[in-house]
Amino acid sequence: MFVECARCGRPVMWEQGRATVVLHGVGVHATDLDDHCMIVTDGCAHCHPEEDEYRLKVIRLSEIVYRDLLRDGEPMGNA
């Protein structure tokens, strides 16, 4: 599953199996996802190296509208 930082737009590289653990932790089943789904973080090690935990969202790309790409009035990522 693709993971992207919403602040800088970079792909976020996780160790193998981490996305599965995260999805299970929030109650999302793999059968509910398809190739239009991705995980978006509110920061990453590149743009916020001082942090080690970030909020996550599972999104379906076909449902994104312009207002979803804004956070507190700031443009976010390439999602």
Side-chain angles (χ1 to χ4, degrees):
M1 175 168 246
F2 187 75
V3 182
E4 181 177 289
C5 176
R7 288 186 187 233
C8 69
R10 286 185 168 80
V12 177
M13 302 305 291
W14 284 347
E15 65 275 1
Q16 185 174 350
R18 183 168 179 198
T20 300
V21 170
V22 167
L23 293 172
H24 284 234
V26 297
V28 175
H29 298 284
T31 56
D32 296 333
L33 304 174
D34 60 23
D35 60 346
H36 291 96
C37 297
M38 66 184 281
I39 296 174
V40 178
T41 68
D42 70 345
C44 70
H46 179 79
C47 66
H48 279 28
E50 69 283 356
E51 296 180 33
D52 59 0
E53 291 187 16
Y54 308 97
R55 289 182 299 165
L56 308 171
K57 278 187 186 180
V58 177
I59 62 169
R60 184 175 308 274
L61 294 177
S62 61
E63 296 175 358
I64 293 178
V65 294
Y66 180 71
R67 71 177 176 277
D68 294 331
L69 299 177
L70 300 177
R71 179 176 178 205
D72 300 327
E74 295 179 33
M76 295 174 31
N78 299 322

Coordinates of all heavy atoms in Angstrom, one line a residue:
M1 N 0.8 -1.2 0.0 CA 0.0 0.0 0.0 C 0.9 1.2 0.0 O 1.9 1.3 0.7 CB -0.9 0.0 1.2 CG -1.8 1.2 1.4 SD -3.0 1.0 2.6 CE -4.4 1.1 1.5
F2 N 0.5 2.2 -0.8 CA 1.3 3.4 -0.9 C 1.1 4.3 0.3 O -0.1 4.5 0.7 CB 1.0 4.2 -2.2 CG 1.8 5.3 -2.5 CD1 3.1 5.2 -3.0 CD2 1.4 6.6 -2.3 CE1 3.9 6.3 -3.2 CE2 2.2 7.7 -2.5 CZ 3.5 7.5 -3.0
V3 N 2.1 4.9 0.8 CA 2.1 5.8 1.9 C 2.8 7.1 1.5 O 3.9 7.1 1.0 CB 2.7 5.3 3.2 CG1 2.6 6.2 4.4 CG2 2.2 3.9 3.6
E4 N 2.1 8.3 1.7 CA 2.6 9.6 1.3 C 2.5 10.6 2.4 O 1.5 10.6 3.1 CB 1.9 10.1 0.0 CG 2.5 11.4 -0.5 CD 1.8 11.8 -1.7 OE1 2.0 11.2 -2.8 OE2 1.0 12.8 -1.7
C5 N 3.5 11.4 2.5 CA 3.5 12.6 3.4 C 2.6 13.7 2.8 O 2.9 14.1 1.7 CB 4.9 13.1 3.7 SG 4.9 14.5 4.8
A6 N 1.6 14.1 3.6 CA 0.7 15.2 3.1 C 1.4 16.5 3.1 O 0.9 17.4 2.5 CB -0.6 15.2 3.9
R7 N 2.4 16.7 3.9 CA 3.1 18.0 4.0 C 4.0 18.3 2.9 O 4.0 19.3 2.3 CB 3.8 18.1 5.3 CG 2.9 18.3 6.5 CD 3.7 18.6 7.7 NE 2.8 18.5 8.9 CZ 2.7 19.5 9.7 NH1 3.4 20.6 9.6 NH2 1.8 19.4 10.7
C8 N 4.9 17.3 2.6 CA 5.9 17.5 1.6 C 5.7 16.7 0.3 O 6.3 16.9 -0.7 CB 7.3 17.2 2.1 SG 7.6 15.5 2.5
G9 N 4.7 15.7 0.3 CA 4.4 14.9 -0.9 C 5.4 13.8 -1.1 O 5.2 13.1 -2.1
R10 N 6.3 13.5 -0.3 CA 7.2 12.4 -0.5 C 6.6 11.1 -0.1 O 5.8 11.0 0.8 CB 8.5 12.6 0.3 CG 9.4 13.7 -0.2 CD 10.7 13.7 0.6 NE 11.7 14.5 0.0 CZ 11.8 15.8 0.0 NH1 10.8 16.5 0.7 NH2 12.7 16.5 -0.6
P11 N 7.0 10.0 -0.8 CA 6.6 8.7 -0.4 C 7.2 8.4 1.0 O 8.4 8.8 1.3 CB 7.1 7.7 -1.4 CG 7.8 8.6 -2.5 CD 7.8 10.0 -2.0
V12 N 6.5 7.7 1.8 CA 7.0 7.3 3.2 C 7.3 5.8 3.1 O 6.4 5.0 2.7 CB 6.0 7.6 4.3 CG1 6.4 7.1 5.6 CG2 5.6 9.1 4.3
M13 N 8.5 5.5 3.4 CA 9.0 4.1 3.3 C 8.9 3.5 4.7 O 9.6 3.9 5.6 CB 10.4 4.0 2.8 CG 10.6 4.7 1.4 SD 9.5 4.0 0.1 CE 10.1 2.4 -0.1
W14 N 8.1 2.4 4.8 CA 7.9 1.7 6.0 C 8.5 0.3 5.9 O 8.6 -0.2 4.7 CB 6.4 1.5 6.4 CG 5.8 2.7 6.9 CD1 6.4 3.9 7.4 CD2 4.4 2.9 7.1 NE1 5.4 4.8 7.8 CE2 4.2 4.2 7.7 CE3 3.3 2.1 6.9 CZ2 3.0 4.7 8.0 CZ3 2.0 2.6 7.2 CH2 1.9 3.9 7.8
E15 N 8.9 -0.3 7.0 CA 9.3 -1.7 6.9 C 8.2 -2.6 6.5 O 7.0 -2.2 6.6 CB 9.9 -2.2 8.2 CG 9.0 -2.3 9.4 CD 8.7 -0.9 10.1 OE1 9.3 0.1 9.8 OE2 7.9 -1.0 11.1
Q16 N 8.5 -3.7 5.9 CA 7.5 -4.7 5.4 C 6.5 -5.1 6.5 O 6.9 -5.4 7.6 CB 8.2 -5.9 4.8 CG 7.2 -6.8 4.2 CD 8.0 -8.0 3.5 OE1 9.2 -8.0 3.4 NE2 7.2 -9.0 3.1
G17 N 5.3 -5.0 6.2 CA 4.2 -5.4 7.1 C 3.6 -4.3 8.0 O 2.6 -4.5 8.6
R18 N 4.3 -3.1 8.0 CA 3.8 -2.1 8.9 C 2.4 -1.5 8.5 O 1.6 -1.3 9.4 CB 4.8 -0.9 9.0 CG 4.4 0.1 10.0 CD 5.4 1.1 10.3 NE 4.9 2.2 11.2 CZ 5.4 3.3 11.4 NH1 6.6 3.6 10.8 NH2 4.9 4.2 12.2
A19 N 2.2 -1.4 7.2 CA 0.9 -0.9 6.8 C -0.2 -1.9 7.2 O -1.3 -1.4 7.7 CB 0.8 -0.7 5.3
T20 N 0.0 -3.1 7.2 CA -0.9 -4.1 7.6 C -1.2 -4.0 9.1 O -2.4 -4.0 9.5 CB -0.4 -5.6 7.3 OG1 -0.2 -5.7 5.9 CG2 -1.4 -6.6 7.8
V21 N -0.2 -3.8 9.9 CA -0.3 -3.6 11.3 C -1.1 -2.4 11.6 O -2.0 -2.4 12.5 CB 1.0 -3.6 12.0 CG1 0.9 -3.2 13.5 CG2 1.7 -4.9 11.9
V22 N -0.8 -1.3 10.9 CA -1.5 0.0 11.1 C -3.0 -0.2 10.8 O -3.9 0.3 11.5 CB -0.9 1.1 10.3 CG1 -1.8 2.4 10.2 CG2 0.5 1.5 10.9
L23 N -3.3 -0.8 9.7 CA -4.7 -0.9 9.2 C -5.5 -1.8 10.2 O -6.6 -1.5 10.6 CB -4.7 -1.5 7.8 CG -4.2 -0.6 6.7 CD1 -4.1 -1.4 5.4 CD2 -5.1 0.6 6.6
H24 N -4.9 -2.9 10.7 CA -5.5 -3.7 11.7 C -5.8 -3.0 12.9 O -6.8 -3.1 13.6 CB -4.7 -5.0 11.9 CG -4.8 -6.0 10.9 ND1 -5.1 -7.3 11.1 CD2 -4.6 -5.9 9.5 CE1 -5.1 -7.9 9.9 NE2 -4.8 -7.1 9.0
G25 N -4.8 -2.1 13.3 CA -5.0 -1.3 14.5 C -6.1 -0.3 14.5 O -6.6 0.0 15.6
V26 N -6.5 0.1 13.4 CA -7.6 1.1 13.3 C -8.9 0.4 12.8 O -9.9 1.1 12.5 CB -7.3 2.3 12.4 CG1 -6.1 3.1 13.0 CG2 -6.9 1.9 11.0
G27 N -8.8 -0.9 12.6 CA -10.0 -1.6 12.3 C -10.4 -1.7 10.8 O -11.5 -1.9 10.4
V28 N -9.4 -1.4 9.9 CA -9.7 -1.4 8.5 C -9.2 -2.8 8.0 O -8.1 -3.3 8.3 CB -8.9 -0.3 7.8 CG1 -9.0 -0.5 6.3 CG2 -9.3 1.0 8.2
H29 N -10.1 -3.5 7.3 CA -9.8 -4.8 6.8 C -9.3 -4.7 5.3 O -9.8 -3.9 4.5 CB -11.0 -5.7 6.8 CG -11.6 -5.9 8.2 ND1 -11.0 -6.8 9.1 CD2 -12.6 -5.3 8.8 CE1 -11.6 -6.7 10.2 NE2 -12.6 -5.9 10.1
A30 N -8.3 -5.5 5.0 CA -7.7 -5.5 3.7 C -8.7 -5.7 2.6 O -8.6 -5.1 1.5 CB -6.6 -6.5 3.6
T31 N -9.8 -6.4 2.9 CA -10.8 -6.6 1.9 C -11.6 -5.4 1.5 O -12.3 -5.3 0.5 CB -11.8 -7.7 2.3 OG1 -12.3 -7.4 3.6 CG2 -11.1 -9.1 2.4
D32 N -11.5 -4.4 2.4 CA -12.2 -3.1 2.2 C -11.4 -2.1 1.3 O -11.9 -1.1 0.9 CB -12.5 -2.4 3.5 CG -13.5 -3.2 4.4 OD1 -14.3 -3.9 3.8 OD2 -13.4 -3.0 5.6
L33 N -10.2 -2.5 1.0 CA -9.3 -1.6 0.2 C -9.1 -2.1 -1.2 O -9.3 -3.3 -1.5 CB -8.0 -1.6 0.9 CG -8.0 -1.2 2.4 CD1 -6.6 -1.3 3.0 CD2 -8.5 0.2 2.6
D34 N -8.8 -1.2 -2.1 CA -8.5 -1.5 -3.5 C -7.3 -0.6 -3.9 O -6.7 0.0 -3.1 CB -9.7 -1.4 -4.4 CG -10.3 0.1 -4.4 OD1 -9.5 1.0 -4.1 OD2 -11.5 0.2 -4.7
D35 N -7.0 -0.7 -5.2 CA -5.9 0.1 -5.7 C -6.1 1.6 -5.7 O -5.1 2.3 -6.1 CB -5.5 -0.4 -7.1 CG -6.6 -0.3 -8.1 OD1 -7.7 -0.1 -7.8 OD2 -6.3 -0.4 -9.3
H36 N -7.2 2.1 -5.3 CA -7.4 3.5 -5.2 C -7.2 4.0 -3.8 O -7.3 5.2 -3.5 CB -8.9 3.9 -5.6 CG -9.1 3.7 -7.0 ND1 -9.7 2.6 -7.6 CD2 -8.9 4.5 -8.1 CE1 -9.8 2.7 -8.9 NE2 -9.3 3.9 -9.2
C37 N -6.8 3.1 -2.9 CA -6.6 3.5 -1.5 C -5.1 3.7 -1.2 O -4.2 3.1 -1.8 CB -7.1 2.4 -0.6 SG -8.9 2.2 -0.7
M38 N -4.9 4.6 -0.3 CA -3.5 4.9 0.2 C -3.5 5.4 1.6 O -4.6 5.8 2.1 CB -2.8 5.9 -0.7 CG -3.4 7.3 -0.7 SD -2.6 8.4 -1.9 CE -1.1 8.9 -1.1
I39 N -2.4 5.5 2.2 CA -2.3 6.1 3.6 C -1.6 7.4 3.4 O -0.6 7.5 2.7 CB -1.5 5.1 4.5 CG1 -2.2 3.8 4.7 CG2 -1.2 5.8 5.9 CD1 -1.4 2.8 5.5
V40 N -2.1 8.4 4.1 CA -1.5 9.7 4.1 C -1.1 10.1 5.5 O -1.9 9.9 6.4 CB -2.4 10.8 3.5 CG1 -1.8 12.2 3.5 CG2 -2.9 10.4 2.1
T41 N 0.1 10.6 5.7 CA 0.6 11.0 7.0 C 0.6 12.5 7.1 O 0.7 13.2 6.1 CB 2.0 10.4 7.3 OG1 3.0 11.1 6.5 CG2 2.1 8.9 7.1
D42 N 0.6 13.0 8.3 CA 0.7 14.5 8.5 C 2.1 15.0 8.6 O 2.3 16.1 9.1 CB -0.3 15.0 9.6 CG 0.2 14.6 11.0 OD1 1.1 13.7 11.1 OD2 -0.3 15.2 11.9
G43 N 3.1 14.2 8.3 CA 4.5 14.6 8.4 C 5.3 13.3 8.1 O 4.8 12.2 8.1
C44 N 6.6 13.6 8.0 CA 7.5 12.4 7.8 C 8.9 12.8 8.3 O 9.2 13.9 8.7 CB 7.6 12.1 6.3 SG 8.5 13.3 5.2
A45 N 9.8 11.8 8.3 CA 11.1 12.0 8.8 C 11.9 13.0 8.0 O 12.8 13.7 8.5 CB 11.9 10.7 8.8
H46 N 11.5 13.3 6.8 CA 12.2 14.3 6.0 C 11.8 15.7 6.3 O 12.6 16.6 6.6 CB 12.0 14.1 4.5 CG 12.7 15.1 3.6 ND1 14.0 15.0 3.3 CD2 12.2 16.2 3.0 CE1 14.3 16.1 2.6 NE2 13.2 16.8 2.4
C47 N 10.5 16.0 6.4 CA 10.0 17.3 6.6 C 9.9 17.7 8.1 O 9.8 18.8 8.5 CB 8.8 17.6 5.9 SG 7.3 16.7 6.4
H48 N 9.8 16.7 9.0 CA 9.6 16.9 10.4 C 10.5 15.8 11.2 O 9.9 15.0 11.9 CB 8.2 16.8 10.9 CG 7.4 18.0 10.6 ND1 7.7 18.9 9.7 CD2 6.3 18.5 11.3 CE1 6.8 19.9 9.7 NE2 6.0 19.7 10.7
P49 N 11.8 15.9 11.0 CA 12.7 14.9 11.6 C 12.7 14.9 13.2 O 13.0 13.9 13.8 CB 14.1 15.2 11.1 CG 14.0 16.6 10.7 CD 12.6 16.9 10.3
E50 N 12.2 15.9 13.8 CA 12.2 16.0 15.2 C 11.0 15.2 15.8 O 11.0 14.9 17.0 CB 12.1 17.5 15.7 CG 10.8 18.2 15.4 CD 10.6 18.6 14.0 OE1 11.5 18.5 13.1 OE2 9.5 19.2 13.7
E51 N 10.1 14.8 15.0 CA 8.9 14.0 15.5 C 9.1 12.6 15.1 O 9.8 12.2 14.1 CB 7.6 14.5 14.8 CG 7.3 15.9 15.2 CD 6.0 16.4 14.6 OE1 5.1 15.6 14.4 OE2 5.9 17.6 14.3
D52 N 8.6 11.7 15.9 CA 8.7 10.2 15.5 C 7.3 9.6 15.4 O 7.2 8.4 15.1 CB 9.5 9.5 16.5 CG 9.1 9.6 17.9 OD1 8.0 10.2 18.2 OD2 9.7 9.0 18.8
E53 N 6.2 10.3 15.6 CA 4.9 9.8 15.4 C 4.1 10.8 14.6 O 4.2 12.0 14.8 CB 4.2 9.6 16.8 CG 4.8 8.5 17.6 CD 4.0 8.2 18.8 OE1 2.8 8.6 18.9 OE2 4.5 7.5 19.7
Y54 N 3.3 10.3 13.7 CA 2.5 11.2 12.8 C 1.0 10.6 12.8 O 0.8 9.4 12.9 CB 3.1 11.2 11.4 CG 4.5 11.5 11.4 CD1 5.5 10.6 11.4 CD2 5.0 12.9 11.5 CE1 6.9 10.9 11.4 CE2 6.3 13.2 11.6 CZ 7.2 12.2 11.5 OH 8.6 12.5 11.5
R55 N 0.1 11.5 12.6 CA -1.3 11.1 12.4 C -1.4 10.5 11.0 O -0.7 11.0 10.0 CB -2.2 12.3 12.5 CG -2.4 12.7 14.0 CD -3.3 13.8 14.1 NE -2.8 15.0 13.3 CZ -3.6 16.0 13.0 NH1 -4.8 16.1 13.4 NH2 -3.1 17.0 12.3
L56 N -2.3 9.5 10.8 CA -2.5 8.9 9.6 C -3.9 8.9 9.1 O -4.8 9.0 10.0 CB -2.1 7.4 9.7 CG -0.7 7.1 10.3 CD1 -0.6 5.6 10.5 CD2 0.4 7.6 9.3
K57 N -4.1 8.8 7.8 CA -5.5 8.7 7.2 C -5.4 7.7 6.1 O -4.4 7.6 5.4 CB -5.9 10.0 6.6 CG -6.5 11.1 7.4 CD -7.0 12.1 6.4 CE -7.5 13.4 7.1 NZ -8.0 14.3 6.1
V58 N -6.4 6.8 6.0 CA -6.5 6.0 4.9 C -7.6 6.7 4.0 O -8.7 7.0 4.4 CB -7.1 4.6 5.3 CG1 -7.3 3.7 4.1 CG2 -6.1 3.9 6.3
I59 N -7.2 6.9 2.8 CA -8.0 7.6 1.8 C -8.3 6.8 0.6 O -7.4 6.0 0.2 CB -7.5 9.0 1.5 CG1 -6.2 9.0 0.8 CG2 -7.4 9.9 2.7 CD1 -5.7 10.3 0.2
R60 N -9.4 7.1 -0.1 CA -9.6 6.5 -1.4 C -9.5 7.7 -2.4 O -10.3 8.7 -2.3 CB -11.0 5.9 -1.4 CG -11.4 5.2 -2.7 CD -12.7 4.5 -2.7 NE -12.9 3.6 -1.5 CZ -12.5 2.4 -1.5 NH1 -11.9 1.9 -2.6 NH2 -12.6 1.6 -0.4
L61 N -8.6 7.6 -3.3 CA -8.3 8.7 -4.2 C -9.5 9.2 -5.0 O -9.6 10.4 -5.2 CB -7.2 8.3 -5.2 CG -5.9 8.1 -4.5 CD1 -4.8 7.6 -5.5 CD2 -5.4 9.3 -3.8
S62 N -10.4 8.4 -5.4 CA -11.6 8.8 -6.1 C -12.5 9.7 -5.3 O -13.4 10.4 -5.9 CB -12.4 7.6 -6.6 OG -12.8 6.9 -5.6
E63 N -12.3 9.8 -4.0 CA -13.2 10.6 -3.1 C -12.5 11.9 -2.8 O -13.2 12.7 -2.0 CB -13.5 9.8 -1.9 CG -14.3 8.6 -2.2 CD -14.5 7.7 -0.9 OE1 -14.0 8.1 0.2 OE2 -15.2 6.7 -1.0
I64 N -11.3 12.2 -3.2 CA -10.7 13.5 -2.8 C -11.2 14.6 -3.6 O -11.4 14.6 -4.8 CB -9.1 13.4 -3.1 CG1 -8.5 12.3 -2.2 CG2 -8.5 14.7 -2.9 CD1 -7.1 12.1 -2.4
V65 N -11.5 15.7 -2.9 CA -11.9 17.0 -3.5 C -10.9 18.0 -3.0 O -10.2 17.8 -2.0 CB -13.3 17.4 -3.1 CG1 -14.3 16.4 -3.7 CG2 -13.5 17.5 -1.6
Y66 N -10.9 19.1 -3.7 CA -9.8 20.2 -3.4 C -9.8 20.5 -1.9 O -8.7 20.6 -1.3 CB -10.1 21.4 -4.2 CG -9.1 22.5 -4.0 CD1 -7.8 22.3 -4.4 CD2 -9.4 23.6 -3.2 CE1 -6.8 23.3 -4.2 CE2 -8.5 24.6 -3.0 CZ -7.2 24.4 -3.5 OH -6.2 25.4 -3.3
R67 N -10.9 20.7 -1.2 CA -10.8 21.1 0.2 C -10.2 20.1 1.1 O -9.6 20.4 2.1 CB -12.2 21.4 0.7 CG -13.1 20.2 0.9 CD -14.5 20.7 1.5 NE -15.4 19.5 1.5 CZ -16.1 19.1 0.6 NH1 -16.1 19.7 -0.6 NH2 -16.9 18.0 0.7
D68 N -10.2 18.8 0.6 CA -9.5 17.7 1.4 C -8.0 17.9 1.3 O -7.3 17.3 2.1 CB -9.9 16.3 0.9 CG -11.4 16.1 1.2 OD1 -11.9 16.6 2.2 OD2 -12.0 15.3 0.4
L69 N -7.5 18.6 0.3 CA -6.1 18.7 0.2 C -5.5 19.9 1.0 O -4.3 20.1 1.0 CB -5.7 18.9 -1.3 CG -6.1 17.7 -2.2 CD1 -5.8 18.1 -3.7 CD2 -5.4 16.5 -1.8
L70 N -6.4 20.6 1.7 CA -5.9 21.8 2.4 C -5.9 21.4 3.9 O -6.8 20.7 4.4 CB -6.8 22.9 2.2 CG -6.9 23.4 0.8 CD1 -7.9 24.6 0.6 CD2 -5.5 23.9 0.3
R71 N -5.0 21.9 4.6 CA -4.9 21.7 6.1 C -4.6 23.0 6.7 O -3.6 23.6 6.5 CB -3.8 20.7 6.4 CG -3.7 20.5 7.9 CD -2.7 19.5 8.2 NE -2.6 19.4 9.7 CZ -1.6 19.0 10.3 NH1 -0.5 18.6 9.6 NH2 -1.6 18.9 11.6
D72 N -5.6 23.5 7.5 CA -5.4 24.8 8.1 C -5.0 25.9 7.1 O -4.2 26.7 7.4 CB -4.4 24.7 9.2 CG -4.8 23.7 10.3 OD1 -6.0 23.6 10.5 OD2 -3.9 23.1 10.9
G73 N -5.5 25.8 5.9 CA -5.2 26.9 4.9 C -4.0 26.7 4.2 O -3.6 27.5 3.4
E74 N -3.2 25.6 4.4 CA -1.9 25.4 3.8 C -2.1 24.2 2.8 O -2.7 23.2 3.0 CB -0.9 24.9 4.8 CG -0.5 25.9 5.8 CD 0.5 25.4 6.8 OE1 1.4 24.6 6.3 OE2 0.5 25.8 7.9
P75 N -1.5 24.4 1.6 CA -1.5 23.3 0.6 C -0.7 22.1 1.2 O 0.2 22.3 1.9 CB -0.8 23.9 -0.6 CG -0.8 25.3 -0.4 CD -0.9 25.6 1.0
M76 N -1.2 20.9 0.8 CA -0.5 19.7 1.3 C -0.2 18.7 0.2 O -1.1 18.5 -0.7 CB -1.5 19.0 2.3 CG -1.7 19.7 3.5 SD -3.0 19.0 4.6 CE -2.8 17.2 4.4
G77 N 0.9 18.2 0.2 CA 1.3 17.0 -0.6 C 0.8 16.9 -2.1 O 0.3 17.9 -2.6
N78 N 1.0 15.8 -2.6 CA 0.6 15.6 -4.0 C -0.6 14.6 -4.1 O -1.0 14.2 -5.2 CB 1.7 15.0 -4.8 CG 2.9 15.9 -4.8 OD1 2.7 17.1 -4.9 ND2 4.1 15.4 -4.7
A79 N -1.2 14.3 -3.0 CA -2.3 13.3 -3.0 C -3.5 14.0 -3.7 O -4.3 13.5 -4.2 CB -2.8 13.0 -1.5

